[in-house]
Amino acid sequence: TGQHAANTTAFEGVYVGDGTKLAEDYSLGFSAANRDFDYPQINNRGEVVARERVTGLTFFIRAWTATDDTTLVRSGQPTGQDSTFDFVNLPSINNQGGISFVAQTSRDNTASLWLQQDGILGLRFRLGSNLSGGGYRPMAADDDQVVMRGGGAGDPILLYGSLVGPIVDEPTTIASAEMGFTTLGPLPGISDDGQIVVFYGVLSEAGAEALNLTQARLRFSDGQAVIFR
């Protein structure tokens, strides 16, 4: 996202470019002084998703291509579970056009992870206090699995299984303090096929010792920052 100036007013927009020519404004027609855009992501089909906010508490998650735009979900929209969305945020898009996002609903004062795939909207997991901090962001794989760390550096990195509907499974813990980490990065990644998760972590003393037993070629020490897959 970025800003462009029209006369003397600066407007935000969603831009797409490959570095060889001037970036294209995909959000043309949506930009206005009372709107801002954040958390853009692009998939391999050239579809771009971003969160749009109108001054106040009106939120949209939209998808754009070079020729079209779609409102995927917005605040005030029914969830299908006797509630509406108070806010929607932190979208991620996979190569099938499915999105995951974080939302809070009118029914409960807690953040939840949601999925929308092929027009079907479903609650993935109630996140609760896991998102008390900031800087985190979910990332979706093509099989609808989603990886995310909670709001604090000490929160675990969790993998949420492929599921659409009101019944939710417990997530799989990918990394945590109990697994030998004092700090975990807020932005883990996942491969398109959902088979590999990559993340940044700082090892505890016990974590370094355990890793040294399985990694004969390298030696690790506590406090060392490592990228894992």
Side-chain angles (χ1 to χ4, degrees):
T1 60
Q3 285 192 341
H4 67 274
N7 298 324
T8 58
T9 303
F11 296 150
E12 288 195 7
V14 177
Y15 297 87
V16 177
D18 60 6
T20 64
K21 58 184 178 182
L22 191 64
E24 184 175 354
D25 184 358
Y26 272 30
S27 59
L28 192 64
F30 290 90
S31 297
N34 66 337
R35 293 174 182 256
D36 60 61
F37 302 86
D38 217 337
Y39 310 110
Q41 192 180 79
I42 190 169
N43 65 13
N44 292 343
R45 302 194 303 190
E47 298 166 324
V48 177
V49 70
R51 187 219 65 192
E52 175 187 345
R53 181 179 61 180
V54 181
T55 299
L57 293 175
T58 303
F59 297 87
F60 300 84
I61 293 176
R62 298 193 200 271
W64 288 271
T65 67
T67 59
D68 200 10
D69 62 84
T70 305
T71 300
L72 299 172
V73 65
R74 59 164 293 166
S75 55
Q77 175 181 324
T79 66
Q81 299 186 28
D82 298 322
S83 61
T84 57
F85 289 115
D86 286 342
F87 73 80
V88 292
N89 204 9
L90 301 170
S92 177
I93 189 168
N94 64 25
N95 291 318
Q96 312 304 319
I99 63 163
S100 64
F101 60 95
V102 172
Q104 182 172 304
T105 73
S106 59
R107 190 171 65 177
D108 49 18
N109 188 30
T110 185
S112 300
L113 182 64
W114 290 75
L115 168 74
Q116 182 172 286
Q117 179 76 57
D118 299 324
I120 301 172
L121 182 67
L123 172 65
R124 188 68 65 83
F125 199 79
R126 286 188 171 85
L127 300 165
S129 60
N130 285 353
L131 298 184
S132 57
Y136 52 85
R137 181 171 182 178
M139 185 171 181
D142 290 349
D143 64 356
D144 300 333
Q145 292 188 100
V146 178
V147 66
M148 187 169 67
R149 194 209 72 183
D155 286 339
I157 291 175
L158 302 175
L159 182 65
Y160 298 87
S162 178
L163 181 67
V164 176
I167 302 173
V168 291
D169 291 333
E170 289 293 323
T172 299
T173 301
I174 299 297
S176 66
E178 292 75 18
M179 297 169 71
F181 296 96
T182 60
T183 301
L184 291 165
L187 302 172
I190 189 169
S191 60
D192 288 346
D193 62 5
Q195 297 301 303
I196 299 174
V197 171
V198 179
F199 63 93
Y200 163 90
V202 177
L203 292 166
S204 65
E205 181 177 356
E209 291 176 355
L211 193 58
N212 286 332
L213 293 176
T214 60
Q215 300 280 341
R217 295 183 299 107
L218 301 172
R219 297 294 296 175
F220 297 92
S221 59
D222 59 300
Q224 187 170 356
V226 184
I227 296 175
F228 292 86
R229 58 172 287 180

